[in-house]
Amino acid sequence: MKKENVRPFLDEVMKTLPEVTVLERMEDRLVYAHGCYPLEYKWLLQGPYPYLPSAILMPNTTEEVSKLMELSDAYEVGVIPYGGGSGIVGGSIAENEEVMIDIKRLRSFEINAINGTARGGAGLTGAEFENLLNEAGFTCGQYPQSFQSAVLGGMVSTRAIGTFSTKYGKMDDMVHALEVVLPNGHIYTSHTTPKASTGPEMDQLFLGAEGVYGIVTAAEVKIYPVAEKRHFEAYTFADTVSALEAIRTFIQNNVHPAVIRLYDEVEAIPRIEKFNYEAGHVILIVGYEGLAKQVDLERELVQQYCEEQGGVAKGEEAGIHWFHSRFSTKKMLDHDAMRGGTADAIEVAAPWDCIGNVWREMRKALEPLCTDVDCHFSHVYHTGASVYVIFHAETGGDDVAGAERYKQCLDTAIRTSLANGGNVSHHHGSGKAKAAYLVDEHGEAGMEVMKAIKDALDPKGLVNKGVLGL
Ligand SMILES: Cc1cc2nc3c(=O)[nH]c(=O)nc-3n(C[C@H](O)[C@H](O)[C@H](O)COP(=O)(O)OP(=O)(O)OC[C@H]3O[C@@H](n4cnc5c(N)ncnc54)[C@H](O)[C@@H]3O)c2cc1C
């Protein structure tokens, strides 16, 4: 990054790309300086913000993104792609006064009902994309909790996941084709065949790459007719382990309801009290959608597997309550905003034979550092599951103390996951927050591959420097 070239670079952008908006005022730079990484809240409260981007560029087309990348390469100016800003792992911290490229003006939308796909510009939010689909009678089934703010390009780049993942999959399953502008400005577009045997699957290289290999400008995803029937219900179990066993058995028998959400003995308490269920038990919420007959059959099968593990059917109310409150993150954000407070949702995955230990040990390790720890399991697979470990801490000190406690909690959580067979992140990504731990998951050789690709595509290290440890 040549900081002295930023001014000439911006002058050239204004001269050659007059349709691209250039924001340079302090207010704009401050707004873009932070996403939703908990330490960014602490830095905001601590005083003058330490990491401001030099400017923000807002292109309108893929071609303009391509020209911007060519120019940033020529002037050796570092850039950071910016989507909805809901990233939670410090993936867009402008440590070197980089220039941000906001992709939210890329808003094209097209449905191909014959192929069962829809193509959206990288700047459409999850909610905008889904609403456009719904108006035409379709859904893609992607409902992350950040549905209103995360955009397609950001969700592709972090391999995001929504609450209906058991049926519709994760972003990496949903994407059918991609358009990406490489760091040298070249535009990569994938063929739209359903499968190819002509080399590695290149779209997967950009999925989860968090921008280090290029800027995603459009994505084509699989779509489905809007469900004929949707149904929610709850089961209680005596403990987390028997509920996990019920889930494992129906998933491995290929029964895939849309929503699976298991609250452990602690996170279940407010729900147990609210609905007057058995004290000390855990709650499993199951949501189904699709053809009416399919929903009915899945319900019958899930009931059979749950009852085999002692599950007790509780009807619809807890599931409907979850559905209506599913976007609320108030408690976490209140702790982030609190002087000396901090909070985060750490999400890791593990194979079935480790997930119970990962959950138990992470809870045990975090409890002494926190005022409370909530744990639930909401994404499950044939071979394993992920667990959310949501911690809230109050140090009683200032924002520096809050930041220190945050780092301690994050480190404790990730090291405990790795030590028990879990990984670093299931879907929030690495950003800069978790970059140091990636070698423990991928090994030296894995990091060597990621770095070699980075060096080949971005030899000057200009795009999202430091993210994913690259
Ligand atoms: C309240 C809350 C709830 C959340 N719930 C979920 C959830 O349910 N599921 C989930 O998966 N995540 C969740 N997240 C995390 C976050 O929403 C996701 O990581 C999301 O995919 C980020 O998208 P974004 O558009 O906001 O990206 P940004 O925050 O703008 O960027 C994230 C990273 O991707 C890079 N990037 C952005 N756009 C592009 C692009 N077009 N091309 C290349 N790189 C790009 C950025 O440089 C950055 O490194 C949540 C976050 C919050 C704050």
Side-chain angles (χ1 to χ4, degrees):
M1 161 80 172
K2 291 196 173 154
K3 288 186 189 171
E4 67 279 15
N5 283 359
V6 170
R7 187 69 261 159
F9 164 72
L10 293 176
D11 291 342
E12 173 97 35
V13 169
M14 288 190 251
K15 195 169 88 192
T16 56
L17 296 166
E19 303 300 322
V20 172
T21 301
V22 180
L23 304 175
E24 292 188 77
R25 291 184 318 172
M26 180 54 87
E27 300 92 294
D28 295 317
R29 292 164 62 204
L30 190 53
V31 166
Y32 278 85
H34 60 89
C36 296
Y37 174 40
L39 280 186
E40 290 170 333
Y41 287 94
K42 297 293 108 185
W43 296 335
L44 270 175
L45 294 168
Q46 276 168 24
Y49 202 83
Y51 307 117
L52 288 171
S54 294
I56 299 96
L57 307 177
M58 301 179 77
N60 306 282
T61 62
T62 300
E63 290 64 35
E64 285 175 353
V65 176
S66 159
K67 290 274 179 239
L68 289 176
M69 294 296 254
E70 267 177 31
L71 286 176
S72 68
D73 186 51
Y75 281 85
E76 299 191 31
V77 166
V79 296
I80 296 177
Y82 196 92
S86 70
I88 203 162
V89 290
S92 48
I93 304 170
E95 278 178 304
N96 304 296
E97 297 168 41
E98 286 93 338
V99 170
M100 285 185 172
I101 300 184
D102 181 348
I103 45 99
K104 282 194 287 297
R105 285 185 179 166
L106 303 179
R107 300 178 53 79
S108 57
F109 179 77
E110 203 182 328
I111 289 180
N112 186 327
I114 302 289
N115 292 346
T117 58
R119 185 181 173 82
L124 291 171
T125 65
E128 288 171 332
F129 189 66
E130 180 66 16
N131 289 342
L132 288 166
L133 288 174
N134 290 171
E135 281 165 21
F138 294 100
T139 178
C140 75
Q142 168 74 340
Y143 310 102
Q145 205 179 20
S146 49
F147 187 56
Q148 313 283 353
S149 50
V151 299
L152 271 186
M155 291 193 289
V156 166
S157 301
T158 53
R159 287 174 174 250
I161 195 167
T163 42
F164 285 54
S165 65
T166 322
K167 183 179 181 83
Y168 296 102
K170 323 163 277 330
M171 208 62 207
D172 20 333
D173 304 312
M174 295 174 177
V175 166
H176 171 61
L178 280 182
E179 179 185 82
V180 184
V181 177
L182 303 180
N184 62 6
H186 294 179
I187 302 171
Y188 159 82
T189 45
S190 40
H191 201 289
T192 53
T193 48
K195 171 179 158 45
S197 184
T198 46
E201 169 52 88
M202 279 191 277
D203 290 350
Q204 290 293 338
L205 186 62
F206 300 104
L207 274 147
E210 301 186 32
V212 299
Y213 298 149
I215 299 190
V216 175
T217 45
E220 187 169 302
V221 303
K222 296 171 207 159
I223 59 171
Y224 308 85
V226 167
E228 190 177 283
K229 182 169 179 180
R230 179 182 271 173
H231 186 87
F232 294 105
E233 62 193 7
Y235 287 86
T236 52
F237 290 80
D239 53 48
T240 298
V241 172
S242 37
L244 278 175
E245 189 57 9
I247 297 169
R248 183 183 72 79
T249 48
F250 66 69
I251 288 294
Q252 289 183 342
N253 279 288
N254 233 344
V255 180
H256 284 263
V259 178
I260 304 272
R261 220 172 161 83
L262 169 64
Y263 298 101
D264 80 350
E265 286 80 351
V266 178
E267 198 178 349
I269 291 172
R271 292 163 184 85
I272 293 276
E273 286 173 356
K274 183 175 176 63
F275 299 109
N276 207 15
Y277 295 160
E278 305 91 327
H281 279 46
V282 303
I283 299 186
L284 170 65
I285 307 278
V286 191
Y288 313 79
E289 69 170 40
L291 297 169
K293 277 186 186 168
Q294 183 186 5
V295 166
D296 295 343
L297 179 61
E298 284 172 353
R299 285 188 61 201
E300 195 184 314
L301 293 167
V302 165
Q303 179 163 6
Q304 178 194 316
Y305 287 106
C306 286
E307 285 177 353
E308 277 171 19
Q309 299 300 326
V312 180
K314 293 289 175 188
E316 293 179 73
E317 57 182 355
I320 291 173
H321 174 263
W322 165 76
F323 184 70
H324 290 299
S325 56
R326 70 198 191 282
F327 292 129
S328 170
T329 51
K330 189 171 178 321
K331 184 175 170 189
M332 237 170 71
L333 297 179
D334 283 351
H335 274 77
D336 281 328
M338 190 188 287
R339 288 219 165 262
T342 190
D344 201 1
I346 305 293
E347 28 57 66
V348 299
W352 283 114
D353 60 3
C354 298
I355 192 72
N357 266 350
V358 168
W359 153 70
R360 200 176 296 107
E361 295 305 316
M362 283 178 76
R363 168 176 276 300
K364 208 181 342 165
L366 281 169
E367 274 170 346
L369 301 170
C370 301
T371 44
D372 51 279
V373 180
D374 286 331
C375 298
H376 63 257
F377 304 77
S378 49
H379 305 290
V380 299
Y381 305 90
H382 190 78
T383 56
S386 86
V387 59
Y388 269 92
V389 182
I390 303 168
F391 66 80
H392 305 92
E394 295 169 29
T395 62
D398 60 9
D399 297 312
V400 176
E404 284 312 309
R405 180 64 59 85
Y406 176 77
K407 288 185 212 162
Q408 202 184 353
C409 289
L410 182 75
D411 186 64
T412 302
I414 294 180
R415 287 195 190 289
T416 308
S417 171
L418 287 165
N420 287 280
N423 72 352
V424 173
S425 170
H426 170 255
H427 60 268
H428 285 162
S430 154
K432 293 182 176 171
K434 300 178 185 168
Y437 305 97
L438 296 193
V439 66
D440 294 320
E441 180 171 333
H442 299 308
E444 297 289 348
M447 293 308 294
E448 201 182 307
V449 173
M450 280 169 47
K451 188 170 181 319
I453 297 171
K454 174 70 174 170
D455 290 343
L457 292 178
D458 183 14
K460 296 173 195 161
L462 296 175
V463 190
N464 264 4
K465 188 175 170 58
V467 166
L468 289 172
L470 302 173

